[in-house]
Amino acid sequence: LLAQHARGVTLDARVDSPTLVTDAHGAVAAIQPTVVYNAEAGELVIAVTNRASASAAVRVDALGFELGSVIEAVSVIADDHGA
């Protein structure tokens, strides 16, 4: 989904997130944001991955951007958390 919608410059996104311990990578953030800004289209695409097994509330502070409206919000849920 991100490849279909995000065109532009990837921004440095900061997150305050609990961590998970993985065999492959040690401690990682449970919440991982990806933010892409397309200045020509005036679009800011925000994708948030929740690696935890429980749902999480997310608040987005888009400092420096004047946000208009949400065009689309999509949830993708996988039963296989090891995938």
Side-chain angles (χ1 to χ4, degrees):
L1 283 173
L2 188 60
Q4 293 173 357
H5 297 285
R7 300 283 187 266
V9 178
T10 303
L11 302 181
D12 183 19
R14 305 295 169 102
V15 64
D16 181 13
S17 168
T19 58
L20 299 173
V21 177
T22 68
D23 292 336
H25 303 288
V28 297
I31 306 297
Q32 177 62 51
T34 302
V35 181
V36 180
Y37 177 57
N38 183 333
E40 185 176 303
E43 295 177 342
L44 187 67
V45 174
I46 302 169
V48 179
T49 301
N50 178 4
R51 296 182 178 117
S53 57
S55 62
V58 175
R59 185 184 88 207
V60 175
D61 290 328
L63 301 176
F65 291 91
E66 185 175 325
L67 301 180
S69 61
V70 174
I71 303 299
E72 182 177 14
V74 177
S75 293
V76 178
I77 301 169
D79 292 331
D80 182 3
H81 295 285

